[in-house]
Amino acid sequence: MQPFQAIDRYLPAADGLRLHVRCYEPAQPASGAHPAVCLPGLARTTEDFDTLASALASDDDAPRQIIALDYRGRGLSAYDTNPANYSPAVELGDVLTVLTALEAMPAVVVGTSRGGILAMLLGAVRPDAVAGVVLNDIGPVIEAAGLMRIKGYVGKLPQPMDYEEAAEILRRLFTGQFPDLTPVQWAEAARRTFKLDNGRLVPTYDPKLALALDSYEIDQPLPTLWKEFETLAGVPVMVIRGALSDILSVPTVAEMQARHAGLEVLEVPNQGHAPLLAETLTIARIADFMARCDARGRS
């Protein structure tokens, strides 16, 4: 394993709001290795990528810079006084601001759920910024049942008395999506989902984020993102699907394969939305995919 440092940085968004970025910096990045940008799910943070980012930054064959972003209102980024800014358009602007400030383009983008939506939008507005994309349990069609499940808990989690109770709350809510997680893994999930604030455990995101989901209803499907997905035709794309996912369907993955020549597909057994990206096999497949993105850039 190659040495690396994980460094927390704070950058201003275009409107001045403070954004948190965790940079995993190898002592000596491999020549020609693209940086990787990790974009979390709707109510998730940079912590979700720590295992993956640490492995990629310390990879013996191709250590690379990893940049993980907390969207506004999540993690260590500042909360926005206007909840309407918790939108893909504003968040895409924040991603571009960070990539520009860190001179991290073109990058391989790893997008989980909301992050994958932003990756597809990035391909549409700045194709030169994208060297490859890993879509983690997200595609151009978002299943309504899964979206409503997410709407049912974002901003509405019970307040736990301690981390042990927090782990139990998560286990009850998500055991259908992750039936194989151990008590230790549920405890780790609790640490990623809740934080101490004035002696109370609260979610690691602004509860007003729930307002971003208010307009979604089961009988009003979201617009599809096929046009945005097809802007990625010129770069390698990998899609990772949780076998138990209620957000990304098997037919959607099949249609993605039909529309993108060479699409790489990995299905993670016994995980739902969204795969944790922490297993040895999954990390190895992502590392191999990124190596192919690097090779393509050198050809």
Side-chain angles (χ1 to χ4, degrees):
M1 294 178 61
Q2 299 296 312
F4 73 95
Q5 286 185 301
I7 302 169
D8 290 313
R9 301 183 63 174
Y10 295 89
L11 302 172
D15 60 4
L17 185 138
R18 190 177 77 156
L19 299 171
H20 167 248
V21 182
R22 181 161 294 157
C23 298
Y24 297 76
E25 304 283 357
Q28 185 62 50
S31 176
H34 291 294
V37 177
C38 296
L39 303 178
L42 174 70
R44 306 303 303 172
T45 75
T46 61
E47 298 290 340
D48 286 353
F49 294 107
D50 187 63
T51 299
L52 174 66
S54 297
L56 295 174
S58 64
D59 185 271
D60 282 328
D61 295 326
R64 72 183 69 240
Q65 180 191 42
I66 312 295
I67 298 164
L69 171 65
D70 278 334
Y71 310 129
R72 58 181 61 213
R74 286 81 139 187
L76 299 178
S77 289
Y79 289 9
D80 200 310
T81 56
N82 180 8
N85 287 334
Y86 297 145
S87 70
V90 174
E91 290 160 10
L92 178 62
D94 291 344
V95 171
L96 280 166
T97 294
V98 168
L99 296 184
T100 301
L102 298 180
E103 299 181 345
M105 296 185 281
V108 181
V109 183
V110 181
T112 294
S113 195
R114 175 76 149 219
I117 293 173
L118 294 176
M120 288 185 278
L121 295 176
L122 183 62
V125 302
R126 281 292 302 273
D128 61 314
V130 180
V133 173
V134 178
L135 297 172
N136 184 25
D137 213 62
I138 194 70
V141 178
I142 301 171
E143 297 301 314
L147 184 61
M148 295 308 294
R149 179 180 60 81
I150 292 170
K151 182 178 179 179
Y153 69 77
V154 170
K156 303 167 187 175
L157 291 173
Q159 184 184 332
M161 296 295 294
D162 52 32
Y163 277 110
E164 183 177 358
E165 184 178 354
E168 178 58 21
I169 288 170
L170 296 182
R171 188 193 65 77
R172 290 199 307 266
L173 279 172
F174 302 115
T175 192
Q177 295 284 303
F178 296 93
D180 290 348
L181 291 196
T182 66
V184 169
Q185 288 173 308
W186 286 118
E188 292 169 346
R191 295 276 176 180
R192 293 192 299 268
T193 305
F194 293 92
K195 64 181 180 180
L196 275 173
D197 182 29
N198 293 322
R200 300 165 57 246
L201 282 180
V202 299
T204 54
Y205 59 86
D206 185 350
K208 293 178 182 176
L209 182 61
L211 298 175
L213 300 172
D214 274 355
S215 62
Y216 300 152
E217 298 297 340
I218 191 71
D219 58 349
Q220 297 176 358
L222 288 177
T224 64
L225 294 170
W226 288 116
K227 289 183 179 179
E228 290 78 6
F229 174 73
E230 288 171 352
T231 66
L232 303 175
V235 298
V237 176
M238 177 182 188
V239 61
I240 300 172
R241 179 180 183 270
L244 304 178
S245 177
D246 57 3
I247 287 289
L248 178 61
S249 71
V250 171
T252 295
V253 173
E255 183 65 19
M256 293 167 74
Q257 288 178 295
R259 297 193 187 207
H260 190 290
L263 181 77
E264 183 172 347
V265 178
L266 171 63
E267 185 163 279
V268 181
N270 294 324
Q271 291 190 23
H273 186 75
L276 303 177
L277 308 185
E279 301 77 29
T280 300
L281 174 61
T282 301
I283 292 172
R285 288 283 297 273
I286 293 172
D288 288 345
F289 172 81
M290 290 187 177
R292 287 195 290 278
C293 294
D294 298 339
R296 182 177 177 276
R298 291 191 292 267
S299 62

